[in-house]
Amino acid sequence: MQGGIRKVGVIGAGQMGSGIAHVAALAGLDVVINDINEERVQSGLATINGNLSRQVQKGSVTDEARHAALARITGSPDMAALSQCDLVIEAATENEEVKRKIFQNVTRTLKPEALLATNTSSISITRLGAATDRPEQFIGIHFMNPVPVMQLVEIIRGIATDDNTFNLSRDFVQALGKTVTMSEDFPAFIVNRILLPMINEAIYTLYEGVGTVEAIDTAMRLGANHPMGPLQLADFIGLDTCLSIMQVLHDGLADSKYRPCPLLVKYVEAGWLGRKTKRGFYDYRGEKPIPTR
C-alpha cells in the first residue's frame, strides 16, 4: 500500500472502538466509525469528545488539537462508508460468531488492497482471518483499555498474514505513539493469557471464602503493588468479557486450570457485568462502590 495507512475505519463505537478512533484521529489520520445504528455512532462520538475534553483539562492535549481530531472523524451506521479506508479495525463484542458476520459484511465494501484487523483479546487470528476474503491482509491489533491511556498494543499474525500487512500494521501502531509487542497466535495472546487466569483465581479465592471482595483487592493492591485489585479490574473489563476469554483459554488449551470459576458464571448469568451494568463484584449505584459479597 503506497503511502501507508492514512484512513482508518473502526467497527464498533463502544469503549474500545471509540478509544481507537480517538487516538487515530489525534495522530492525524482520517477516521470513519461504524456501528449498527445512528444512536450508537453518536454515543461513540460523544464519548470521544468527552475524553478529548478531559485531556485538554489535564493539559495533555491542546484545544486546537481536540477540534482538529474531531474534524477528522466521521460516523455512519452504513458499512459502505468504510469503502475507502486503508485499514479497518473490528472492535465489536468478544463473540466469534458476531465477528465473523461483521467480516462477511464488511469485505463486500472494502477496496481490494485494504487491510482488515480485529481488536479481539483472545480469539484465534488464523480462524477469524479464514472467515474473510483476505487472510493475507488480516491481522490482530489488540489495544488495551482505556485506549487513550494505555501504552501497549499487541500485534498478532495469523498463519496466512503476510509481511506487508504486519509491517504496515506495526508502523500504524507506532505512529499512534504506542508500544508494539508481538504475540504468537495462541489463545488470549500474552497479556490476557497471564492476566485473566489471575483474575479467575481471585474469583475462586472469593468463591471458596478465602477472603472478601475488599480483602482480596486490598491484598493485591498493597501486597503485590497492583494499581487496582483483581475484582475491581474484572468489573472494569466487564465480567462477560472475562468469562469469554476464560472460555477461549479453556476450550483452546484443554487444561482444567483455565476452567471459569462458577461464581463468575453466576454473575454473568445474573447480568451483573461490572461497571457497565452498575453491579458486579461491586455495586456502583450509589456515591461510592460497595462490595456485593
Side-chain angles (χ1 to χ4, degrees), residues 22 33 127 187 191 198 202 204 235 253 260 277 279:
H22 172 146
I33 193 164
R127 198 163 64 238
V191 172
M198 185 203 74
Y204 266 114
D235 276 356
L253 299 172
T277 59
R279 281 192 289 187

Side-chain angles (χ1 to χ4, degrees), residues 152-172:
L152 185 74
V153 177
E154 290 180 315
I155 292 185
I156 311 99
R157 296 176 74 149
I159 196 170
T161 307
D162 65 26
D163 288 343
N164 184 57
T165 299
F166 170 74
N167 291 334
L168 285 168
S169 299
R170 179 196 58 207
D171 293 348
F172 160 71

Side-chain angles (χ1 to χ4, degrees), residues 49-178:
N49 186 28
N51 289 338
L52 282 166
S53 296
R54 274 189 285 276
Q55 287 183 313
V56 171
Q57 290 169 4
K58 291 176 181 177
S60 59
V61 170
T62 66
D63 198 45
E64 291 77 13
R66 179 182 75 88
H67 282 290
L70 290 172
R72 294 186 192 104
I73 305 172
T74 57
S76 174
D78 186 355
M79 282 191 176
L82 304 169
S83 63
Q84 295 306 306
C85 291
D86 302 312
L87 166 67
V88 172
I89 305 170
E90 169 272 319
T93 186
E94 192 69 355
N95 178 294
E96 185 165 345
E97 287 309 307
V98 170
K99 292 179 186 296
R100 283 172 172 268
K101 287 177 184 175
I102 287 170
F103 297 139
Q104 288 165 4
N105 289 332
V106 75
T107 50
R108 297 171 189 158
T109 69
L110 297 183
K111 57 187 181 181
E113 66 272 26
L115 306 186
L116 187 55
T118 176
N119 185 58
T120 181
S121 53
S122 62
I123 301 168
S124 167
I125 305 305
T126 297
R127 198 163 64 238
L128 290 176
T132 75
D133 65 348
R134 60 193 73 203
E136 295 81 7
Q137 294 160 233
F138 188 88
I139 196 164
I141 304 179
H142 178 216
F143 290 83
M144 305 295 136
N145 186 28
V147 179
V149 175
M150 299 296 281
Q151 183 65 28
L152 185 74
V153 177
E154 290 180 315
I155 292 185
I156 311 99
R157 296 176 74 149
I159 196 170
T161 307
D162 65 26
D163 288 343
N164 184 57
T165 299
F166 170 74
N167 291 334
L168 285 168
S169 299
R170 179 196 58 207
D171 293 348
F172 160 71
V173 171
Q174 290 175 339
L176 304 182
K178 303 294 187 184

